[in-house]
Amino acid sequence: MSLFDRMVVGMLPLVPRGIVGIVASRYVAGNTVEDAISTARSLAAEGAVATMDILGEEVRDAAVAERFTLQYLQLVDAIAAAGISSTVSVKPTMLGLDITEELCEQNVARLCGHASERSVRVAIDMEDHPTTDFTLGLHMRMRERFGNVGTVLQAYMRRTLSDIEALPEGRECQIRLCKGIYVEPESIAYKGYDEVRANYLKALEALFERGIFVGIATHDEYLVDRAVEIIKRRGLEPDAYEFQMLLGVLPQLRAKILGGGHALRVYIPYGPDWYAYSVRRLRENPKVARHVMRAMIGLR
Ligand SMILES: Cc1cc2nc3c(=O)[nH]c(=O)nc-3n(C[C@H](O)[C@H](O)[C@H](O)COP(=O)(O)OP(=O)(O)OC[C@H]3O[C@@H](n4cnc5c(N)ncnc54)[C@H](O)[C@@H]3O)c2cc1C
């Protein structure tokens, strides 16, 4: 990131919420579950399926974790009632991990049980490194109890290849592979752009080698192209993988993936806690943040 971009990103907290809201509306479906369902319907018309995420993380109050758990149960009901093809994605810290591991596990189990009865799959998002061991263990325990659960591995983590070796083999194991979004120490995470890409491709090969279903979650066109080559070389069928992207990011790449005949799942975040998520999206993409600044100071 250039010095100018870093400066722009640093100034984001000064931008009025209304302006962030206008630019961020492409990344967030809206405030309500109905907004998320209607976004999923529009994406379905393009040929994409969905995973829905209620915005909010790092909950430190058990009553808030309970409220989010109930909202997730309602989300599962809404997906089942709408008859759309969507999984749900959930962050362990939202369901209580920062309070106690037991509370988080109880809440995630309620969600997975409820979802399993309605044939909806759950993806447990991966957060920062202090949560990695717990999240991987939780994924295994939930799989054993309910069977409808997947999780996420981050290519920037040095441990990822050995984590793959510990996963069960076969399509029933469903793993989303992403680069990773948290700021982690160099002792445990690759930092170089090319190093992360290289580890992503090694991890992808290792997951396919074990017959695991992979959600290839990236907007990096280089990785998308390499993944397509790997899929062709291995002669993989559509039941072995899908691509995954965030709502609002690089729609032209979304069209290219769908045009190539590949399955694509779009991550649809929604809910009143949209501000923190949107600022994070803008931080990742200084070009968009630059537009926000220009709009604010009247340059367009
Ligand atoms: C479906 C999905 C689920 C995810 N789940 C997790 C998770 O559970 N845990 C986790 O740590 N991370 C998660 N991530 C985030 C991921 O780890 C990366 O931080 C993020 O996707 C950016 O990496 P990239 O592979 O797209 O490559 P990059 O090299 O960062 O981006 C490639 C290109 O896409 C553009 N781009 C990337 N992000 C944005 C954006 N937000 N807005 C506009 N343009 C953008 C860039 O400008 C660049 O041109 C998820 C990502 C996706 C797509």
Side-chain angles (χ1 to χ4, degrees), residues 28 52 63 70-71 92 132 156 191 193 213:
V28 176
M52 294 187 192
L70 293 176
Q71 285 178 14
T132 309
Y156 65 16
K191 291 287 176 185
Y193 198 76
F213 179 93

Side-chain angles (χ1 to χ4, degrees), residues 29-289:
N31 275 335
T32 65
V33 67
E34 289 77 24
D35 294 329
I37 300 272
S38 119
T39 302
R41 287 219 162 95
S42 319
L43 288 163
E46 276 179 41
V49 293
T51 185
M52 294 187 192
D53 165 69
I54 304 175
L55 289 169
E57 53 201 277
E58 296 176 9
V59 169
R60 298 215 157 70
D61 175 348
V64 178
E66 174 65 20
R67 199 181 71 217
F68 278 133
T69 305
L70 293 176
Q71 285 178 14
Y72 263 103
L73 302 186
Q74 286 160 3
L75 170 60
V76 167
D77 290 340
I79 290 171
I84 50 171
S85 179
S86 181
T87 61
V88 298
S89 288
V90 65
K91 291 189 173 43
T93 60
M94 198 172 168
L95 297 200
L97 184 55
D98 286 339
I99 305 165
T100 65
E101 291 185 350
E102 293 69 29
L103 179 71
C104 175
E105 183 136 358
Q106 275 168 25
N107 287 338
V108 174
R110 283 161 71 196
L111 169 60
C112 294
H114 193 80
S116 158
E117 285 162 12
R118 287 153 186 81
S119 303
V120 173
R121 287 195 72 91
V122 176
I124 307 176
D125 285 352
M126 187 59 78
E127 298 177 88
D128 55 352
H129 78 271
T131 69
T132 309
D133 282 331
F134 175 78
T135 303
L136 292 175
L138 180 69
H139 160 244
M140 291 303 289
R141 293 188 293 280
M142 294 300 117
R143 278 194 74 231
E144 274 156 28
R145 285 177 67 184
F146 306 107
N148 61 331
V149 185
T151 192
V152 181
L153 289 175
Q154 297 153 321
Y156 65 16
M157 294 297 279
R158 295 181 192 270
R159 58 180 285 170
T160 288
L161 291 177
S162 60
D163 286 336
I164 292 171
E165 280 169 31
L167 288 170
E169 296 191 341
R171 297 276 183 271
E172 270 309 297
C173 185
Q174 303 217 344
I175 296 295
R176 175 192 306 154
L177 181 63
C178 65
K179 285 186 180 176
I181 205 168
Y182 299 87
V183 179
E184 299 288 9
E186 192 163 6
S187 54
I188 57 166
Y190 296 109
K191 291 287 176 185
Y193 198 76
D194 290 340
E195 273 182 316
V196 175
R197 272 182 168 170
N199 205 45
Y200 193 105
L201 293 174
K202 278 188 203 155
L204 186 60
E205 294 271 20
L207 287 162
F208 282 145
E209 198 55 40
R210 294 181 75 79
I212 291 169
F213 179 93
V214 192
I216 306 166
T218 182
H219 318 98
D220 183 345
E221 196 161 357
Y222 168 86
L223 286 182
V224 169
D225 290 345
R226 295 296 81 69
V228 169
E229 284 168 13
I230 292 170
I231 289 161
K232 284 196 181 133
R233 169 165 46 76
R234 287 179 172 268
L236 294 173
E237 296 292 328
D239 69 345
Y241 72 94
E242 65 188 11
F243 286 89
Q244 297 187 355
M245 294 177 70
L246 302 176
L247 181 67
V249 178
L250 300 186
Q252 65 281 23
L253 181 59
R254 195 160 84 202
K256 174 176 159 177
I257 292 170
L258 285 166
H262 306 284
L264 177 74
R265 188 174 300 281
V266 178
Y267 190 101
I268 303 180
Y270 74 94
D273 288 352
W274 54 269
Y275 182 76
Y277 178 85
S278 306
V279 168
R280 203 161 73 195
R281 297 276 80 81
L282 293 174
R283 280 213 174 95
E284 276 168 42
N285 191 357
K287 270 191 213 145
V288 178

Side-chain angles (χ1 to χ4, degrees), residues 10-24:
M11 284 168 71
L12 274 174
L14 305 176
V15 177
R17 277 173 82 95
I19 293 194
V20 173
I22 292 166
V23 178

